[in-house]
Amino acid sequence: FFVSCALQHKHTIPPLELLATKQAMKGNTVDDGNSKERRRFNPAITIASTMQCFKAWATQDKNGLKDFVLAQLKVAVILFIANMGNKFEPAYPRNDNHDPKIFWIVNAILAVGAFFTWKWEASKTGRSGGSPRIICLGREQTEEWKGWMQWAFIFYHYYRVYYVYNEIRVFVSAYVWMTGFGNFLYFDKKADFSFERFVSMIIRINYFPLLLSYFLTVPLELYYVVPLHTTGFVVTMITCWIG
């Protein structure tokens, strides 16, 4: 939000009434709005405009201050639960939970459930409109693909199935690839290489992992996939911008 306000108002033009008063004191007339004085950056006007933007955001019904505070409360609850779980005394050593048989049983249960709930459905209409249609690697397909891989990540680590390590690395690479793929489609369609887009994506990818690392006192390198996604986004953005 604050990045948007700063970008929107960093070159804010002083109001005509204020400019007229200042120029009247100097014995000048009001120009057509293209003078250097009107184009010059004014910190006081920028701060006032930012505060107006903040007040408008705080009072809007959707995605306003209320929704922001509620979202941060949810984050706080999740961090509290994660912190309690991280400090909870384990019932047995971590590697004693090695059980490949259970790993494959839960995956088989998931496969059966997926088979009986299979449905062929057109993608939803995007922001740009258009009729719903089946799209190869559309959002619905890629989101489901991510869900399958997240399931594999969780049970791979929980049951310590070491011999599928290479396959899990492929899943991690596929996940990072989808970050680049989704952003490539966005840049190819919108050509939005703005600073606001860059900062919003960096925050979106890194905000929660940084909080987890800090509150759980866990080294950030254990969340290595986060820098991978960040690098994937930055490389994609630079490549599309150059191209």
Side-chain angles (χ1 to χ4, degrees):
F1 161 77
F2 292 105
V3 172
S4 300
C5 284
L7 290 172
Q8 182 177 354
H9 298 290
K10 66 179 180 180
H11 297 299
T12 301
I13 298 175
L16 279 173
E17 295 81 4
L18 178 62
L19 185 60
T21 302
K22 291 173 64 178
Q23 291 188 339
M25 294 175 64
K26 297 178 182 179
N28 299 328
T29 58
V30 180
D31 66 351
D32 60 355
N34 294 318
S35 67
K36 290 183 178 180
E37 185 171 3
R38 280 183 59 78
R39 294 197 305 268
R40 188 174 57 191
F41 172 69
N42 189 321
I45 297 298
T46 301
I47 293 174
S49 300
T50 302
M51 292 304 299
Q52 291 177 358
C53 185
F54 177 81
K55 291 179 180 179
W57 169 71
T59 56
Q60 67 185 26
D61 294 332
K62 187 177 181 181
N63 296 328
L65 180 60
K66 180 180 178 181
D67 290 336
F68 175 79
V69 172
L70 182 60
Q72 300 315 304
L73 287 175
K74 292 179 180 178
V75 170
V77 171
I78 294 172
L79 289 173
F80 175 77
I81 296 174
N83 189 53
M84 293 297 296
N86 196 49
K87 294 180 178 178
F88 194 80
E89 189 66 26
Y92 47 80
R94 180 180 180 184
N95 291 332
D96 285 2
N97 203 41
H98 175 67
D99 196 337
K101 182 173 65 176
I102 299 297
F103 171 79
W104 291 112
I105 288 176
V106 295
N107 277 285
I109 293 173
L110 174 64
V112 171
F115 177 80
F116 284 103
T117 57
W118 191 296
K119 59 181 179 180
W120 188 265
E121 188 175 272
S123 296
K124 297 178 181 178
T125 303
R127 295 180 181 178
S128 59
S131 58
R133 62 190 188 280
I134 302 297
I135 301 176
C136 181
L137 292 181
R139 178 172 293 273
E140 287 77 8
Q141 291 183 3
T142 53
E143 291 295 327
E144 184 170 355
W145 184 3
K146 291 177 183 178
W148 278 82
M149 292 192 295
Q150 288 174 358
W151 174 282
F153 295 153
I154 292 172
F155 285 100
Y156 158 76
H157 286 290
Y158 189 81
Y159 288 113
R160 318 297 294 167
V161 188
Y162 307 112
Y163 58 81
V164 297
Y165 173 84
N166 291 332
E167 288 75 10
I168 294 297
R169 297 306 95 189
V170 173
F171 287 175
V172 171
S173 299
Y175 220 112
V176 175
W177 175 85
M178 274 190 281
T179 295
F181 175 70
N183 281 283
F184 164 76
L185 294 179
Y186 175 85
F187 291 128
D188 183 60
K189 185 175 183 179
K190 301 290 186 180
D192 177 14
F193 303 102
S194 63
F195 181 71
E196 181 179 0
R197 172 67 180 180
F198 175 80
V199 173
S200 65
M201 283 300 300
I202 295 299
I203 293 175
R204 185 185 304 179
I205 296 173
N206 293 273
Y207 175 65
F208 189 65
L210 288 174
L211 290 178
L212 276 177
S213 176
Y214 178 78
F215 285 103
L216 272 61
T217 62
V218 173
L220 187 59
E221 55 262 28
L222 290 182
Y223 301 126
Y224 65 93
V225 72
V226 178
L228 285 177
H229 283 286
T230 304
T231 303
F233 163 71
V234 173
V235 170
T236 302
M237 184 175 186
I238 294 175
T239 303
C240 292
W241 177 72
I242 294 175

